[in-house]
Amino acid sequence: MDFNPFTMRDLECLRDLVGKERVSTGQSYLELHSVDEANNKGPLPEVVVWPKNAEEVSLILKMANERMIPVTPWGAGTSIEGNPLPMHRGIVLDFQQMDKILAIRPESFQVDVQPGVKYQDMNKSLSRYGLFFAPDPGANATIGGMIGNNASGIRTIKYGATKENVLKLEVVLPTGEIIRTGTFAHKTSSGYDLVRLFVGSEGTLGIVTEATLRLAGTPEKFGVALVPFKSVEDATNTVCEMIGAGLGPAALELLDQATIEVINREGHLQMNENPSLFIEFTGVSEESLKEDLSQTERICQANHSISFEAGMGQEERARIWEARHQAFEFMKRNNPGLSFLILDTAVPISEYPQIVRFARDTINKYNMKGYFLGHAGDGNLHVVVPGNFDDPDFILKKDKVNEEIVSHAIALGGTATGEHGVGIGKRKFMLQEHGESLQVMKKIKQLFDPKGILNPGKIFP
Ligand SMILES: Cc1cc2nc3c(=O)[nH]c(=O)nc-3n(C[C@H](O)[C@H](O)[C@H](O)COP(=O)(O)OP(=O)(O)OC[C@H]3O[C@@H](n4cnc5c(N)ncnc54)[C@H](O)[C@@H]3O)c2cc1C
């Protein structure tokens, strides 16, 4: 794509459109919008703009489309694959100031929000209605960024990813046209599903300016278990058997020995230092939760679990999930000065033991350190590899590790990314994963954004 250079005239035009206090070319703002949470770096944008409403977004896109200037939306910048980096410079649209909850309809389990609202803040406001938005990425992401990446997390196994929890969207297209798509009904068979096309499109097809989200009731009762195993294989076999037995956990997470060790050390906990499953069931009756836990215990024992530490209620739940949520922080503290490859892939559940084994062998082959953790119940695996990103030898090895594990996951019928999106990091796997349907995706991109101004340099190889 040949974009036009950003001129003083363009800058003046943006200032006229939204007011000069919400347009910045300050060096620190440009730098802040050229790096993501995983330390992927892009070029500096030429300008950062903080829009306040859909009409402003529309005017900016209209102008950018006419003048061939790239536009990249920015939520909280917590992406891992370089998703919001302005690879062709131009305008970054930061949604920090569009952070309002517009309406809560508790009786319909719905909320309307602007894209810049942070989901953790939103969930605090919803808690007084006994409701919450279930997709739960670890970082305090914005709803716009979660929609961009189709984010998910530890409770996806029960509630689905962001895709399953967005009902309606207001989207601004590159021409400046504002469209509304979706329905307040919780099911529909009506026409092409544009909502789910926009979700996960990483801001390459349109810019979300409002979303109606589907909410869940906060469960009344919890049953949790922390289960160490003799080996990762035993833990992953247990995952498959639990799903096969029809148990419906609300969370089913794998943490390997290295991860448990770092949590114990940095979090001052005393968990058994073996590969472990963190399991949660939710419901309305303690009897049914106890039954779920006892059936789970039988399956764990048959797979050589070392112990079965089960508890009921909020306190146990908070203790276990606090440790899980802080795992990455603890890894950072335990590896001062190092950066991290955060590998993300997902496979059919039957292949989970196999991908974990393959990943472990690959890490060992390159003599690297790797922390394994994953949303095992969804077949989603993360391997976190610390190292010095200025060391060419480390870079070479981490790229090989990433390539070999992700390619193997795709060969097993899986995907290059379970939840972090494609960004720039996973583009090279798109052909291998999607084959000829990648051409159809390109045609869709061409249809929505013929001049290619929206978040260019992403998704496609
Ligand atoms: C410690 C840590 C743990 C994480 N754990 C998880 C996890 O468990 N699960 C998970 O899914 N992710 C996880 N992530 C990744 C990240 O937090 C999520 O992908 C999150 O959804 C990104 O949201 P954001 O607001 O930071 O968006 P950004 O990073 O700013 O943007 C994400 C994408 O959305 C686009 N975008 C932003 N706003 C809009 C808009 N209004 N309209 C259209 N497109 C838009 C951007 O252009 C970009 O392509 C983790 C990250 C960290 C640092």
Side-chain angles (χ1 to χ4, degrees):
M1 276 302 162
D2 284 334
F3 296 109
N4 284 329
F6 188 77
T7 62
M8 265 317 283
R9 182 172 150 252
D10 298 323
L11 186 60
E12 285 309 322
C13 182
L14 286 174
R15 287 175 174 155
D16 288 345
L17 290 179
V18 304
K20 66 177 181 335
E21 64 290 347
R22 286 189 281 118
V23 176
S24 178
T25 54
Q27 187 68 11
S28 57
Y29 284 122
L30 301 185
E31 282 173 10
L32 270 175
H33 292 87
S34 66
V35 59
D36 72 3
E37 198 79 17
N39 217 15
N40 292 300
K41 293 193 177 74
L44 301 188
E46 274 145 320
V47 62
V48 181
V49 183
W50 290 265
K52 279 235 155 119
N53 52 49
E55 287 66 35
E56 287 185 356
V57 175
S58 163
L59 292 171
I60 294 166
L61 287 194
K62 202 159 182 265
M63 167 213 148
N65 199 43
E66 276 164 17
R67 300 190 187 180
M68 280 295 287
I69 301 168
V71 179
T72 304
W74 185 281
T78 66
S79 282
I80 302 281
E81 297 291 352
N83 321 50
L85 302 183
M87 299 314 289
H88 292 264
R89 307 199 66 202
I91 303 168
V92 162
L93 283 187
D94 184 323
F95 284 93
Q96 196 181 23
Q97 296 194 24
M98 284 179 71
D99 63 347
K100 306 276 173 306
I101 296 179
L102 301 168
I104 301 174
R105 290 181 296 284
E107 65 291 349
S108 301
F109 299 91
Q110 290 174 8
V111 64
D112 301 334
V113 293
Q114 290 186 314
V117 72
K118 302 255 178 82
Y119 86 97
Q120 288 176 0
D121 302 340
M122 181 182 76
N123 275 346
K124 275 189 202 130
S125 302
L126 292 170
S127 65
R128 83 179 78 123
Y129 301 94
L131 297 171
F132 74 116
F133 181 60
D136 175 23
N140 196 5
T142 63
I143 293 299
M146 289 176 67
I147 290 173
N149 288 350
N150 185 27
S152 53
I154 56 177
R155 298 209 163 69
T156 303
I157 186 170
K158 178 157 182 166
Y159 298 99
T162 299
K163 249 185 201 354
E164 281 77 44
N165 292 281
V166 178
L167 294 170
K168 262 173 89 81
L169 288 176
E170 178 186 80
V171 179
V172 184
L173 301 179
T175 50
E177 190 186 346
I178 302 174
I179 62 162
R180 286 171 194 84
T181 182
T183 167
F184 290 118
H186 280 197
K187 63 186 285 194
T188 171
S189 312
S190 179
Y192 298 139
D193 191 345
L194 296 186
V195 170
R196 261 145 290 269
L197 180 59
F198 285 115
V199 181
S201 66
E202 303 186 23
T204 61
L205 300 180
I207 293 191
V208 174
T209 47
E210 194 181 314
T212 298
L213 308 176
R214 176 183 190 152
L215 305 174
T218 312
E220 276 178 37
K221 303 260 189 298
F222 307 94
V224 289
L226 181 52
V227 194
F229 289 84
K230 290 195 181 128
S231 69
V232 175
E233 274 74 20
D234 288 336
T236 52
N237 288 336
T238 302
V239 170
C240 297
E241 286 182 34
M242 278 181 67
I243 305 288
L247 285 159
L252 180 46
E253 298 280 301
L254 169 76
L255 286 82
D256 76 341
Q257 185 169 344
T259 307
I260 299 277
E261 279 170 10
V262 92
I263 290 177
N264 274 350
R265 194 167 322 131
E266 298 295 329
H268 309 292
L269 296 171
Q270 276 97 38
M271 289 185 286
N272 190 312
E273 293 190 347
N274 277 284
S276 301
L277 293 179
F278 287 18
I279 305 167
E280 177 175 290
F281 291 97
T282 57
V284 287
S285 107
E286 284 202 1
E287 282 61 46
S288 71
L289 294 179
K290 278 183 187 153
E291 180 49 40
D292 286 337
L293 284 172
S294 82
Q295 210 181 327
T296 301
E297 185 171 12
R298 278 196 294 278
I299 295 173
C300 291
Q301 280 169 349
N303 284 291
H304 322 293
S305 55
I306 295 168
S307 60
F308 192 86
E309 200 188 311
M312 310 286 285
Q314 274 286 10
E315 230 170 79
E316 287 81 4
R317 182 187 197 230
R319 187 175 67 86
I320 286 188
W321 295 119
E322 175 76 11
R324 167 65 183 90
H325 274 311
Q326 287 198 293
F328 185 55
E329 263 323 296
F330 292 155
M331 288 170 199
K332 284 206 259 185
R333 264 197 247 161
N334 206 48
N335 294 278
L338 297 183
S339 298
F340 296 84
L341 161 71
I342 306 176
L343 188 148
D344 165 44
T345 190
V347 292
I349 195 74
S350 57
E351 307 296 345
Y352 201 63
Q354 150 78 334
I355 191 65
V356 173
R357 200 164 39 242
F358 181 87
R360 170 59 63 207
D361 291 347
T362 310
I363 289 281
N364 289 344
K365 182 171 83 179
Y366 289 104
N367 204 15
M368 314 270 280
K369 180 170 169 181
Y371 300 99
F372 283 57
L373 65 170
H375 312 304
D378 304 318
N380 192 182
L381 175 69
H382 298 311
V383 186
V384 182
V385 183
N388 178 359
F389 278 39
D390 293 326
D391 173 3
D393 183 48
F394 173 78
I395 295 290
L396 195 73
K397 287 204 288 192
K398 82 147 173 76
D399 287 347
K400 284 193 167 154
V401 161
N402 193 35
E403 196 138 345
E404 289 177 26
I405 297 174
V406 173
S407 290
H408 193 66
I410 297 171
L412 291 173
T415 172
T417 163
E419 56 185 22
H420 293 167
V422 181
I424 45 176
K426 292 286 173 63
R427 284 177 307 172
K428 59 177 170 247
F429 302 105
M430 289 302 96
L431 188 59
Q432 184 190 350
E433 179 171 348
H434 298 290
E436 67 281 4
S437 67
L438 192 63
Q439 288 308 321
V440 181
M441 291 190 201
K442 280 187 179 159
K443 285 183 190 157
I444 291 172
K445 167 71 176 169
Q446 176 71 19
L447 177 72
F448 279 85
D449 183 19
K451 294 189 176 177
I453 62 156
L454 278 187
N455 202 358
K458 306 295 163 55
I459 299 189
F460 298 105

